[in-house]
Amino acid sequence: MIYYITMKLSNQIKLKLYHFPYEQTISFKELRVQMDKEINIDSFRKALHRLHKQGVITINSRGHFTREQKFEAYLFVYGSLKKGFDNHTILKKANYISKAQTIDKFAMYKEENRNYPYIVKNEIIGQSIEGELYQITREDVLKKIDEFEDAPKYFKHENIWIKTRSQKIKATTYVLSNSKSSLNQKPLKCWRENNIKIDMNFDDYYKSILG
């Protein structure tokens, strides 16, 4: 019930936002006076945070936000960012769509002395790679994922066609910047390992990049 109230209120706020220019700082109070006085303040704040996640606004500080231009990107992940894997927390602010696989052929290998994979385009020995599709509605979220993936230094973005059970769609994915191949490994179709052992406090790291 609370979800539907928040969703309905979010849609009402969207209509009010059309009267405000993009990238102008707006106070919650300034918007609140234009809404029904019977609306609960907690519901109002939850609706604003929902719009922040959707990329409609950016909450800059306590009590202030800016209206944003629409941003949307689809991201295909195939390694440690998948559900149930060590680094999935990085996708906390992305929207899961479904399981998916590439239409183009790639060779996937485990990085030497690391517990994550990389892919390179290879039509000869490559195959369709299994993974997951996500929708990202905030540009800053994609930038933080890039930071984690060390893009474009280690990985680079590549727009590829992927397919789910219900559709074919263009999405970006992370391909190794230096197109090397591993001669002593058999190319993988699906990444299944999940036991990263790195001397690093991941809780602190996630907090630092996710905010």
Side-chain angles (χ1 to χ4, degrees):
M1 185 66 177
I2 295 176
Y3 171 81
Y4 291 107
I5 293 174
T6 302
M7 184 171 63
K8 182 178 179 181
L9 183 53
S10 297
N11 290 332
Q12 292 175 3
I13 292 174
K14 277 184 182 180
L15 295 175
K16 297 294 184 181
L17 288 175
Y18 289 128
H19 302 292
F20 295 94
Y22 291 111
E23 299 179 356
Q24 174 182 308
T25 301
I26 306 164
S27 68
F28 286 10
K29 184 178 180 181
E30 187 178 355
L31 178 63
R32 181 76 174 82
V33 296
Q34 298 188 31
M35 307 297 296
D36 190 331
K37 293 181 179 180
E38 294 182 0
I39 294 175
N40 180 278
I41 187 64
D42 288 335
S43 298
F44 179 70
R45 291 183 181 277
K46 287 178 181 178
L48 288 176
H49 281 278
R50 175 184 173 84
L51 293 175
H52 174 90
K53 183 178 180 181
Q54 292 175 348
V56 177
I57 65 172
T58 292
I59 297 176
N60 303 315
S61 60
R62 186 174 181 179
H64 294 84
F65 67 92
T66 55
R67 182 185 172 200
E68 298 291 348
Q69 300 275 5
K70 183 177 180 180
F71 176 86
E72 183 178 62
Y74 288 94
L75 177 67
F76 174 78
V77 301
Y78 53 84
S80 66
L81 294 181
K82 295 190 299 182
K83 281 187 174 183
F85 286 77
D86 303 84
N87 297 323
H88 180 67
T89 310
I90 298 299
L91 297 181
K92 180 180 179 181
K93 296 183 180 180
N95 302 315
Y96 173 77
I97 303 297
S98 69
K99 291 184 178 180
Q101 62 183 46
T102 65
I103 294 177
D104 293 332
K105 294 181 179 180
F106 293 87
M108 177 163 64
Y109 301 102
K110 176 181 177 181
E111 179 61 284
E112 186 176 358
N113 298 321
R114 296 291 186 270
N115 202 15
Y116 55 81
Y118 63 85
I119 62 174
V120 292
K121 192 74 174 290
N122 193 315
E123 293 291 341
I124 300 174
I125 63 172
Q127 55 192 323
S128 176
I129 302 299
E130 297 178 0
E132 297 171 350
L133 177 65
Y134 289 82
Q135 177 196 46
I136 298 175
T137 56
R138 295 192 59 83
E139 188 174 9
D140 58 338
V141 171
L142 184 58
K143 287 180 178 179
K144 287 174 181 177
I145 300 172
D146 285 346
E147 179 184 337
F148 176 79
E149 294 286 6
D150 196 16
K153 183 178 179 181
Y154 182 79
F155 283 109
K156 64 180 180 180
H157 281 239
E158 185 161 324
N159 292 322
I160 63 171
W161 283 101
I162 63 99
K163 62 181 180 179
T164 67
R165 287 185 177 181
S166 60
Q167 64 179 328
K168 292 181 181 179
I169 190 171
K170 203 78 177 267
T172 189
T173 194
Y174 292 102
V175 178
L176 195 70
S177 292
N178 178 19
S179 297
K180 64 179 179 179
S181 60
S182 179
L183 299 177
N184 61 348
Q185 287 189 52
K186 180 180 178 180
L188 304 169
K189 182 178 180 64
C190 181
W191 180 251
R192 302 187 187 282
E193 297 196 38
N194 189 27
N195 57 342
I196 290 180
K197 294 181 180 179
I198 301 176
D199 186 17
M200 177 178 180
N201 189 320
F202 277 90
D203 287 338
D204 289 345
Y205 180 71
Y206 292 143
K207 288 177 182 178
S208 70
I209 68 171
L210 291 175

